[in-house]
Amino acid sequence: DVMKARELRDKNVKDLNKDVVDLLREQFKLRSQKANDQLSRHTQLKSVRRDIARLKTVLNEKKGSKS
Protein backbone atom coordinates (compact mmCIF):
# COMPACT_ATOMS: atom_id res chain seq x y z
CA ASP A 1 0.00 0.00 0.00
CA VAL A 2 1.30 3.37 -1.02
CA MET A 3 1.54 6.06 1.63
CA LYS A 4 -0.05 9.36 0.78
CA ALA A 5 1.79 12.54 1.76
CA ARG A 6 -1.55 14.04 2.83
CA GLU A 7 -2.05 11.22 5.36
CA LEU A 8 1.53 11.52 6.60
CA ARG A 9 1.17 15.23 7.34
CA ASP A 10 -1.51 14.38 9.91
CA LYS A 11 0.91 12.22 11.90
CA ASN A 12 3.24 13.60 14.56
CA VAL A 13 7.03 13.67 14.21
CA LYS A 14 7.57 10.77 16.62
CA ASP A 15 5.34 8.45 14.57
CA LEU A 16 6.96 9.58 11.33
CA ASN A 17 10.45 8.86 12.68
CA LYS A 18 9.30 5.40 13.79
CA ASP A 19 7.89 4.75 10.31
CA VAL A 20 11.20 5.79 8.72
CA VAL A 21 13.13 3.35 10.92
CA ASP A 22 10.68 0.55 10.11
CA LEU A 23 10.98 1.22 6.39
CA LEU A 24 14.78 1.36 6.53
CA ARG A 25 14.74 -2.09 8.17
CA GLU A 26 12.36 -3.33 5.50
CA GLN A 27 14.61 -1.89 2.78
CA PHE A 28 17.64 -3.63 4.30
CA LYS A 29 15.80 -6.98 4.29
CA LEU A 30 14.74 -6.48 0.68
CA ARG A 31 18.26 -5.54 -0.39
CA SER A 32 19.59 -8.68 1.32
CA GLN A 33 17.01 -10.77 -0.52
CA LYS A 34 17.95 -9.13 -3.80
CA ALA A 35 21.62 -9.88 -3.22
CA ASN A 36 20.75 -13.53 -2.61
CA ASP A 37 18.37 -13.72 -5.59
CA GLN A 38 15.43 -14.38 -3.28
CA LEU A 39 13.45 -11.21 -4.02
CA SER A 40 10.10 -12.17 -5.52
CA ARG A 41 8.63 -8.71 -6.20
CA HIS A 42 11.31 -6.39 -7.55
CA THR A 43 9.01 -3.37 -7.50
CA GLN A 44 8.73 -3.69 -3.72
CA LEU A 45 12.23 -2.27 -3.24
CA LYS A 46 11.37 0.76 -5.37
CA SER A 47 8.15 1.48 -3.49
CA VAL A 48 9.86 1.21 -0.08
CA ARG A 49 12.57 3.60 -1.25
CA ARG A 50 9.95 6.09 -2.39
CA ASP A 51 7.98 5.75 0.86
CA ILE A 52 11.15 6.56 2.80
CA ALA A 53 11.70 9.65 0.64
CA ARG A 54 8.07 10.69 1.12
CA LEU A 55 8.38 10.36 4.92
CA LYS A 56 11.63 12.32 5.01
CA THR A 57 10.09 15.06 2.88
CA VAL A 58 7.15 15.43 5.27
CA LEU A 59 9.53 15.42 8.26
CA ASN A 60 11.57 18.22 6.68
CA GLU A 61 8.38 20.19 5.98
CA LYS A 62 7.42 19.87 9.64
CA LYS A 63 10.89 21.00 10.77
CA GLY A 64 10.71 23.97 8.45
CA SER A 65 7.29 25.07 9.67
CA LYS A 66 8.37 25.03 13.34
CA SER A 67 11.34 27.37 12.98
Side-chain angles (χ1 to χ4, degrees):
D1 59 333
V2 176
M3 296 182 186
K4 298 276 188 239
R6 196 177 314 120
E7 297 165 7
L8 295 176
R9 287 187 182 98
D10 296 335
K11 289 186 167 189
N12 63 19
V13 174
K14 187 179 172 187
D15 288 342
L16 291 172
N17 280 321
K18 184 184 149 320
D19 289 346
V20 169
V21 170
D22 291 343
L23 282 172
L24 286 171
R25 282 198 184 104
E26 177 75 16
Q27 184 185 37
F28 178 77
K29 281 189 231 166
L30 291 172
R31 277 203 322 257
S32 300
Q33 287 177 10
K34 183 180 178 189
N36 295 322
D37 290 328
Q38 295 172 342
L39 190 59
S40 55
R41 288 179 27 229
H42 296 282
T43 55
Q44 202 174 4
L45 197 55
K46 183 177 173 181
S47 67
V48 168
R49 190 171 66 237
R50 289 187 175 178
D51 284 343
I52 291 169
R54 201 171 288 120
L55 277 165
K56 287 184 174 182
T57 301
V58 172
L59 277 168
N60 281 330
E61 285 173 2
K62 286 183 178 282
K63 283 180 190 165
S65 64
K66 283 183 181 174
S67 56

